[in-house]
Amino acid sequence: MSVKQGLMALLAEGPMYGAQLRSEFEERTGGTWPLNVGQVYTTLNRLERDGLVEPTGEADSEGRISYRLTDAGVAEVGTWWTTPVDRDNTPRDELTIKLALAVTVPGVDVAAVARTQRTATMRHLHDLTRLKQDVMRKQRDAERDEPEPDESDSTANHDLAWLLVLENLIFSAEAEVRWLDHVETRLHRESLRPFRRSGDSAGAAKARAEVEETAYRREVGSQQQTDRTGARR
Amino acid sequence: MTAPSLLLDNVTRVHGTGDTAVRALDGVTLEVMPGELVAVMGPSGSGKSTLLNLAGGLDMATSGRVVIEGEDLTTLNAKGIAQLRRRRVGFVFQDYNLIPSLTAAENVALPLELDGERAGKARRHARQTLDLMGLRELSDRFPDQMSGGQQQRVAIARALIGSRRLVLADEPTGALDTHTGEDVLRVLRERCDDGVAGLLVTHEARHAAWADRVVFLRDGVVVDSTGRASSAEDLLDTASR
C-alpha cells in the first residue's frame, strides 16, 4: 500500500497537518497499517517536492503546517481512484516460500507445518470475526437509535471503512485456510503414491529416474508405433 | 463443573463388514459445553455428516459412547432415543426443511405438538420464540413467502423450541449468499451466547470462524483443532520419526 496515495486521498477532503493525517489514516483503516509521524512528514516533503501538495501558509501557534493538494495532486488522486491496483507484481509471501522449501528440504514434516499454520490462521480468522461482530453490533445499535442517519455521519462512515478492511482481512485469512486445506489434501495424495518425496532422497531420485526412463521408452515406443501405422497408410 | 451438553467419547462408526468395511469415524472424542459453538470442518467424505448423525441419535456408533446432557444414547432403546431427540436436540439442515403448508409459527410449534403439547399452547410458545429471535414479522408467513435466510432463521427457532438446548446444524449456510449466511450465523451465535450448545458442520472457514472452536476431520479422524497448537519442537520431532 502506498502511503503517498493514502495521504493524498485524505487531503482531497481538505487541508490537514501531519499528525491529523496520521490519525485519520489509522482510524479509517482500524490501525491495521500503523504510520509514524516521521513517515507522514517525509512523504509530505516528497509530495511537495513533486508539486503534488503545498503548505496552506505559515505554521500555526503550535508549529503545525497544514498541507493541501495542488491541481496536479487533485489530478493524481483522480487517476488513483480510476486505475486498478497492479496485481502483476507478485509480493514475496513467507508462508508460500516456507511450504515450497519444506517440500524440498529433507527432514521437514510438511503436513505438520501446513496443519500448524492452518490452526494459527483459523485462530486469526476467529479473532477477526469477533471484531467484525462487534462492529456490526455497533452498527445495529446505531440503526436502532437513529433509523435514518445523516449521510455525512462520520462515525458511521468510519465504521464502514473499518468493516471493509476487516472483511478484506477475513477473506484473505479464509483463502489461506482453503489453500492450506488443499495443501494437506495434495500432500496426503502424494503420500499414497508409490514413491515418497521424503526419506531416502537418493532412492527417491533413482526411482524418479526409473519412472522417467520408463515413460521415455513408452513415448518412443508409441512414436515408433505411430510411425509404423503411418507407413502402412 | 458443568457437564457437557454433548459428549462423543472415542466414537467409531463402521459401515459394512470384512474387506468392504469403511470406517466413517474412527475413535473421535469431542465435547460441546453449554454456551459453546463448535464447528466441524473437513473435506467431503471426512465423516462430518456421520458425526452429526451420531451426535443427534440418528445413527448408532459401532463403538464408543454418545452422551447428550448426561444421557448415554447407547443405554437407551429406540423409543428412548426418539424421545431424547424430540426434547433435547434440534436439527438445522442446509435446505431448511420447513413444511410448506404450515406458517412459520406452526412450523416452529410442530416439535412441541409432536411431543404432546396442545396446539394453542405450542403456537403461543412458538410466537414467543420467534419474538425473542427478532422474527415476529415472519410468524404468519408460509415458507414460500420467505427468503432462504428467513426460512433458515425460522428453522433455528424450530430447532430450539421448548426445552432443547443442543442444536446440530449441517451446512446451514450452504444455500445462502454471504450476507444472508451471516444473518443466520448471527442468530445461531446469539443462541449459543445465551447458553445453548451448538455443533456446526461447514466447509467454509469464514463461517467456522463464528464458532468458539474448530475441529478438522479427515478420513474419520480428528486431525486438528484450534484448541491446541503444536510447538516447533513437535514439528521437528514428528519429522525425524
Side-chain angles (χ1 to χ4, degrees):
Chain A
M1 197 337 259
S2 163
V3 175
K4 172 186 150 186
Q5 264 94 8
L7 298 188
M8 287 174 68
L10 289 173
L11 286 176
E13 285 179 14
M16 284 181 218
Y17 50 84
Q20 218 175 349
L21 280 168
R22 178 190 147 194
S23 68
E24 283 291 328
F25 181 85
E26 289 193 356
E27 193 182 323
R28 293 178 200 207
T29 53
T32 313
W33 299 279
L35 291 180
N36 62 49
V37 174
Q39 209 176 352
V40 173
Y41 277 108
T42 315
T43 309
L44 284 172
N45 287 341
R46 239 179 263 141
L47 289 170
E48 189 180 358
R49 182 199 64 198
D50 297 342
L52 297 168
V53 305
E54 62 193 5
T56 55
E58 295 303 308
D60 67 9
S61 57
E62 291 178 45
R64 297 176 303 204
I65 302 173
S66 282
Y67 286 84
R68 68 177 161 231
L69 291 178
T70 61
D71 290 344
V74 172
E76 175 97 5
V77 172
T79 308
W80 189 53
W81 291 129
T82 52
T83 313
V85 172
D86 180 11
R87 291 295 187 208
D88 291 339
N89 223 336
T90 313
R92 235 180 252 137
D93 178 68
E94 187 186 341
L95 176 60
T96 318
I97 294 170
K98 191 197 252 191
L99 277 163
L101 291 177
V103 172
T104 45
V105 172
V108 181
D109 185 341
V110 198
V113 172
R115 271 202 304 276
T116 307
Q117 183 64 47
R118 187 178 57 188
T119 309
T121 307
M122 196 66 224
R123 262 200 217 110
H124 176 57
L125 181 55
H126 177 257
D127 293 344
L128 292 168
T129 306
R130 276 287 151 113
L131 285 172
K132 178 181 165 173
Q133 286 167 19
D134 288 344
V135 178
M136 288 172 72
R137 197 173 300 125
K138 206 169 136 195
Q139 280 186 328
R140 278 198 306 278
D141 291 349
E143 259 170 45
R144 202 184 44 222
D145 298 342
E146 195 185 349
E148 283 171 38
D150 184 353
E151 257 192 37
S152 64
D153 182 347
S154 76
T155 317
N157 288 342
H158 286 193
D159 280 348
L160 179 59
W162 174 214
L163 188 62
L164 291 181
V165 171
L166 265 176
E167 285 180 329
N168 171 275
L169 300 174
I170 285 171
F171 277 103
S172 302
E174 183 193 32
E176 192 167 291
V177 172
R178 283 181 66 184
W179 178 63
L180 289 163
D181 268 343
H182 175 78
V183 166
E184 206 194 13
T185 307
R186 186 169 290 294
L187 291 171
H188 183 66
R189 282 195 192 152
E190 291 287 326
S191 73
L192 298 176
R193 289 189 179 204
F195 312 116
R196 307 263 317 252
R197 172 200 57 81
S198 58
D200 174 13
S201 59
K206 188 166 166 252
R208 206 175 304 122
E210 278 169 14
V211 171
E212 279 164 12
E213 175 77 28
T214 315
Y216 173 74
R217 278 204 212 104
R218 201 176 295 136
E219 176 107 332
V220 170
S222 86
Q223 186 61 43
Q224 285 166 348
Q225 182 81 30
T226 314
D227 291 347
R228 277 197 296 275
T229 321
R232 270 204 296 274
R233 271 200 202 121
Chain B
M1 212 184 96
T2 322
S5 299
L6 172 68
L7 167 67
L8 272 75
D9 180 15
N10 199 16
V11 167
T12 294
R13 177 68 172 105
V14 182
H15 295 290
T17 51
D19 290 347
T20 56
V22 176
R23 294 179 96 76
L25 272 194
D26 197 354
V28 169
T29 295
L30 176 71
E31 256 185 19
V32 187
M33 301 300 286
E36 194 181 30
L37 180 60
V38 176
V40 181
M41 288 187 75
S44 305
S46 59
K48 302 188 300 277
S49 297
T50 304
L51 188 152
L52 211 63
N53 288 341
L54 290 169
L58 294 172
D59 188 10
M60 290 306 281
T62 310
S63 68
R65 291 187 312 143
V66 177
V67 184
I68 295 174
E69 293 177 349
E71 291 247 38
D72 186 345
L73 263 57
T74 48
T75 65
L76 298 175
N77 59 17
K79 198 177 159 197
I81 290 176
Q83 194 186 58
L84 184 97
R85 222 170 27 223
R86 270 200 318 272
R87 294 185 181 166
R88 310 271 183 89
V89 190
F91 291 89
V92 179
F93 304 96
Q94 181 173 334
D95 49 4
Y96 332 129
N97 280 8
L98 297 180
I99 294 175
S101 57
L102 300 180
T103 64
E106 287 164 348
N107 264 289
V108 175
L110 201 59
L112 289 183
E113 288 187 52
L114 290 174
D115 202 33
E117 187 65 83
R118 280 184 297 109
K121 197 172 170 192
R123 282 184 205 165
R124 269 200 304 282
H125 200 113
R127 282 176 190 281
Q128 280 167 4
T129 304
L130 287 166
D131 275 7
L132 181 79
M133 291 173 60
L135 304 172
R136 178 187 298 194
E137 76 280 6
L138 303 179
S139 294
D140 296 320
R141 289 204 210 160
F142 289 94
D144 65 359
Q145 296 169 322
M146 293 187 270
S147 69
Q150 288 171 331
Q151 289 187 60
Q152 195 60 300
R153 279 178 283 171
V154 170
I156 294 175
R158 180 185 58 185
L160 290 168
I161 185 92
S163 55
R164 297 194 281 186
R165 309 291 286 162
L166 172 63
V167 59
L168 306 174
D170 193 359
E171 300 277 6
T173 53
L176 304 173
D177 65 52
T178 305
H179 287 280
T180 323
E182 277 181 0
D183 286 342
V184 167
L185 287 166
R186 181 166 56 80
V187 168
L188 193 59
R189 182 69 257 179
E190 284 171 358
R191 295 297 92 214
C192 291
D193 289 341
D194 278 350
V196 162
L199 190 62
L200 165 71
V201 164
T202 177
H203 66 271
E204 289 196 59
R206 200 160 24 86
H207 293 166
W210 285 68
D212 300 293
R213 278 191 294 133
V214 184
V215 169
F216 293 90
L217 278 183
R218 168 182 296 287
D219 298 337
V221 179
V222 174
V223 290
D224 209 359
S225 127
T226 52
R228 163 183 67 86
S230 309
S231 64
E233 290 90 292
D234 286 347
L235 291 181
L236 295 172
D237 274 359
T238 328
S240 59
R241 234 176 271 144

